[in-house]
């Protein structure tokens, strides 16, 4: 299948307002491929050369900032992805990779790949809520007072396919979240996990439940879940029984 590919290559400083956002680019041979996607209030800030931003077809970006500082970075967003809330994507130093698999959604997120060669990889069909911070590095150096050496170098962060991340979560360097996992609200994830189909939660996070999966849809028709009575039944019951009896009827 062939697509019409608008290609933007910069060889000098330019600040240019385009449909859906602003491009502030300084450097040589920087490439942005958007495939005529739905971009609303999107900003591309690049200071460096030979960088690539590739946005595959059918992607929706709303209020997203791309920030690249350095050379030979790659940011790739797969088909059918959606950024529905504030998004901030950063690549710093050289040769970092941020890759997002198809059908993944975000409500509000900060993604950061810092330090040369680090990678932030997100699989397909993942669902991220809002106020989420994911970083491959600490952005600053922590030095040993014994030998003067730094010990907090960046490490890759990897998410498998079909991962659900609830709101207010922080992911630090070296994290691995396997496929079909759920990460609970407010969790601090600072290590690699190996087991798929688990619920991960806490500060710091641990596995709190095994043998699970998840759906985007809310479902009710399953064992152990009772259907609510019809609205008319509830209205009628409010006239004739007290509150405790109504609860018994619902239960």
């Amino acid at each position: 299948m062939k697509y019409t590919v608008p290609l933007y290559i910069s060889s000098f400083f330019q600040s240019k307002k385009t449909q859906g956002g602003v491009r502030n680019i300084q450097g040589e041979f920087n490439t942005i491929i958007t495939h005529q996607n739905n971009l609303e209030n999107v900003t591309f800030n690049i200071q460096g050369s030979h960088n690539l931003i590739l946005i595959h077809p059918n992607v929706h970006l709303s209020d997203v900032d791309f920030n690249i500082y350095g050379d030979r970075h790659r940011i790739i967003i797969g088909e059918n992805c959606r950024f529905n809330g504030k998004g901030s994507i950063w690549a710093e130093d050289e040769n970092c990779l941020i890759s997002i698999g198809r059908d993944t959604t975000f409500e509000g997120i900060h993604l950061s790949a810092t330090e040369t060669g680090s990678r932030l990889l997100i699989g397909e069909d993942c669902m991220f809520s809002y106020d989420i911070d994911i970083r491959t590095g600490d952005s600053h150096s922590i030095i040993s007072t014994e030998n003067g050496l730094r010990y907090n170098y960046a490490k890759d962060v990897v998410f498998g396919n079909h991962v659900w991340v609830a709101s207010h979560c922080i992911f630090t360097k070296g994290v691995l979240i396997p496929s079909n996992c759920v990460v609970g609200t407010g969790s601090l994830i600072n290590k690699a996990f190996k087991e798929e189909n688990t619920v991960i939660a806490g500060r710091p996070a641990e596995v709190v439940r095994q043998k699970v999966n998840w759906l985007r849809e809310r479902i009710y028709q399953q064992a152990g879940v009772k259907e609510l009575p019809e609205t008319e039944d509830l209205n009628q019951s409010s006239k004739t029984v007290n509150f405790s009896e109504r609860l018994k009827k619902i239960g």
Side-chain angles (χ1 to χ4, degrees), residues 59 63 70 76 90 103 113 141 147 151 170 188 209 222 246:
V59 170
D63 199 18
I76 302 171
W90 290 74
D103 301 314
S141 300
N147 55 26
Y151 60 84
I170 298 173
L188 169 62
R209 180 166 293 185
Q222 56 183 347
R246 289 177 64 194

Side-chain angles (χ1 to χ4, degrees), residues 136-189:
T136 65
D138 300 329
S139 296
H140 308 283
S141 300
I142 299 177
I143 308 298
S144 169
T145 58
E146 295 180 346
N147 55 26
L149 299 178
R150 180 188 175 196
Y151 60 84
N152 67 325
Y153 289 100
K155 297 179 182 178
D156 294 346
V157 173
V158 181
F159 294 80
N161 297 323
H162 193 61
V163 171
W164 172 14
V165 178
S167 59
H168 313 301
C169 289
I170 298 173
F171 297 82
T172 63
K173 59 185 182 293
V175 164
L176 168 62
I177 305 296
S179 296
N180 305 315
C181 286
V182 178
V183 180
T185 299
S187 296
L188 169 62
I189 302 87

Side-chain angles (χ1 to χ4, degrees), residues 219-231:
I219 61 174
Y220 300 98
Q221 289 73 28
Q222 56 183 347
V225 178
K226 298 180 180 180
E227 294 186 8
L228 293 174
E230 297 294 335
T231 304

Side-chain angles (χ1 to χ4, degrees), residues 55-178:
I55 304 171
H56 283 282
N58 302 317
V59 170
H60 173 79
L61 303 179
S62 177
D63 199 18
V64 178
D65 296 334
F66 292 84
N67 302 279
I68 292 179
Y69 296 92
D71 302 329
R72 296 180 174 82
H73 297 297
R74 292 168 293 158
I75 299 174
I76 302 171
I77 301 177
E79 292 186 29
N80 306 316
C81 289
R82 296 185 62 88
F83 284 72
N84 297 317
K86 175 65 177 176
S88 181
I89 302 175
W90 290 74
E92 298 181 87
D93 295 352
E94 294 185 357
N95 198 32
C96 292
L97 170 63
I98 298 175
S99 178
I100 301 170
R102 61 179 297 143
D103 301 314
T104 291
T105 59
F106 305 89
E107 300 303 321
I109 196 160
H110 175 90
L111 303 173
S112 178
T114 61
E115 299 188 32
T116 298
S118 68
R119 304 181 302 162
L120 197 170
L121 309 178
I122 297 174
E124 299 180 353
D125 189 33
C126 294
M127 182 172 68
F128 291 81
S129 186
Y130 62 93
D131 188 27
I132 297 170
D133 193 351
I134 305 174
R135 301 169 179 263
T136 65
D138 300 329
S139 296
H140 308 283
S141 300
I142 299 177
I143 308 298
S144 169
T145 58
E146 295 180 346
N147 55 26
L149 299 178
R150 180 188 175 196
Y151 60 84
N152 67 325
Y153 289 100
K155 297 179 182 178
D156 294 346
V157 173
V158 181
F159 294 80
N161 297 323
H162 193 61
V163 171
W164 172 14
V165 178
S167 59
H168 313 301
C169 289
I170 298 173
F171 297 82
T172 63
K173 59 185 182 293
V175 164
L176 168 62
I177 305 296

